[in-house]
């Protein structure tokens, strides 16, 4: 039995296969419409979500399966003190596979240690968000036709942004990927990722504060939201929240073939006027999230198509 805790759980060859299947799903959805008939997906969300929960559910429904679950800790027995370990033992009796989001780093790992069904980490605190990474990789691959030889700008909350952490882990495995880390001093990428991942593997990167300084050199700009829920005090959040606002004027500095990604939700960091720029890819990205999660469910359930 296989789980997905981190993007590194899949080799580059396995990721290639997963993306190939997702692209086939997009082209031939009818071929996959009944491959999960009779299977159930449980979504266990201890933290709010729109895309991750509903795209997992849409993915399972598109495959002919069904879904059950809860969308907040308050509406589950976690509110009475039930542990993640006990919860997953119970869910293993009700479903064939589950996706779990939890505010604590490592919670998904605890779940898979006590689970008899595949567990998908749908985000654990500020740690990892591997299915978002699969979505991001598929989006970049579909837009650019490659995952190597490119410069990726990561902008915003690089300290708490788990999507950024997961994406860096995944992209350093492709040749000649360079990063521009764009953040205020207070929200810089944690030292353990800079040293243990980027420095250790001799990955080229530079850190800048001004978005304008990075834009002309980028193939992909990955914007992120300042993570209000991870701040210890409101005052720091208010000071940081509008540090970056990507607008049409700044987009003039960007190459014509640069694409803008964002895991969403956005708050103010991308002005709505950018939505009509052909380089804005964040809504398409959310659609790719369904295809890749369909491919993931098929793979983790070991279903032959
Ligand atoms: N990208 C993402 O994780 O969005 P949600 O929080 O809405 O799931």
């Amino acid at each position: 039995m296989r789980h997905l805790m981190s993007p590194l759980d899949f080799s580059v060859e396995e990721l290639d296969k997963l993306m190939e299947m997702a692209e086939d799903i997009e082209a031939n959805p009818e071929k996959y419409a009944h491959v999960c008939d009779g299977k159930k997906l449980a979504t266990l969300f201890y933290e709010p979500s729109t895309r991750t929960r509903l795209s997992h559910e849409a993915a399972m429904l598109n495959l002919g399966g069904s879904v059950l679950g809860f969308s907040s800790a308050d509406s589950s027995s976690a509110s009475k003190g039930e542990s993640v370990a006990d919860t997953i033992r119970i869910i293993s009796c009700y479903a064939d596979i589950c996706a779990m989001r939890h505010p604590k780093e490592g919670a998904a790992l605890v779940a898979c240690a006590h689970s008899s069904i595949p567990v998908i980490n749908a985000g654990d605190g500020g740690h990892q968000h591997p299915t978002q990474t699969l979505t991001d990789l598929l989006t970049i691959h579909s837009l650019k036709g490659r995952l190597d030889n490119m410069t990726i700008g990561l902008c915003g909350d690089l300290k708490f942004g788990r999507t950024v952490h997961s994406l860096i882990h995944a992209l350093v495995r492709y040749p000649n990927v360079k990063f521009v880390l764009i953040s205020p001093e207070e929200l810089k990428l944690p030292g353990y990722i800079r040293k243990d991942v980027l420095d250790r593997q001799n990955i080229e990167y530079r850190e800048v504060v001004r978005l304008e300084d990075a834009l002309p050199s980028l193939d992909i700009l990955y914007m992120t939201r300042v993570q209000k829920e991870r701040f210890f005090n409101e005052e720091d959040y208010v000071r940081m929240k509008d540090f970056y606002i990507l607008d049409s004027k700044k987009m003039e500095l960007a190459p014509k073939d640069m694409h803008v990604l964002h895991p969403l939700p956005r708050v103010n960091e991308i002005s709505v006027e950018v939505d009509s720029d052909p380089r804005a890819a964040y809504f398409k990205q959310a659609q790719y999230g369904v295809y890749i999660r369909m491919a993931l469910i098929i793979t983790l359930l070991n279903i032959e198509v």
Side-chain angles (χ1 to χ4, degrees), residues 62-101:
N62 289 347
L63 296 169
S66 29
V67 298
L68 64 160
F70 54 84
S71 58
S72 73
D74 288 349
S75 63
S76 78
S77 286
S79 61
K80 303 173 199 161
E82 187 167 45
S83 66
V84 165
D86 283 0
T87 303
I88 197 68
R89 283 193 185 102
I90 302 306
I91 299 302
S92 298
C93 307
Y94 302 158
D96 301 285
I97 184 167
C98 80
M100 189 180 108
R101 172 173 287 186

Side-chain angles (χ1 to χ4, degrees), residues 115-161:
S115 179
S116 51
I117 58 173
V119 177
I120 298 169
N121 178 6
D124 61 330
H127 185 218
Q128 296 264 358
H129 192 347
T131 64
Q132 181 63 50
T133 301
L134 301 182
T135 301
D136 300 339
L137 295 179
L138 178 64
T139 307
I140 296 170
H141 188 264
S142 299
L143 294 170
K144 288 285 186 192
R146 65 182 198 279
L147 288 167
D148 53 8
N149 294 304
M150 66 175 79
T151 303
I152 315 262
L154 302 165
C155 177
D157 186 350
L158 309 189
K159 181 178 179 183
F160 297 114

Side-chain angles (χ1 to χ4, degrees), residues 48-53 101 129 132 162-163 263-265:
S49 166
T50 296
R51 275 145 296 273
T52 312
R53 184 171 68 85
R101 172 173 287 186
H129 192 347
Q132 181 63 50
R162 58 192 172 197
T163 59
L264 304 178

Side-chain angles (χ1 to χ4, degrees), residues 195-212:
K195 292 199 186 78
D196 297 350
V197 182
L198 298 177
D199 292 342
R200 185 168 292 169
Q201 299 184 50
N202 285 322
I203 306 295
E204 200 178 316
Y205 69 92
R206 63 192 171 102
E207 295 184 288
V208 302
V209 175
R210 278 167 39 91
L211 178 55
E212 292 87 333

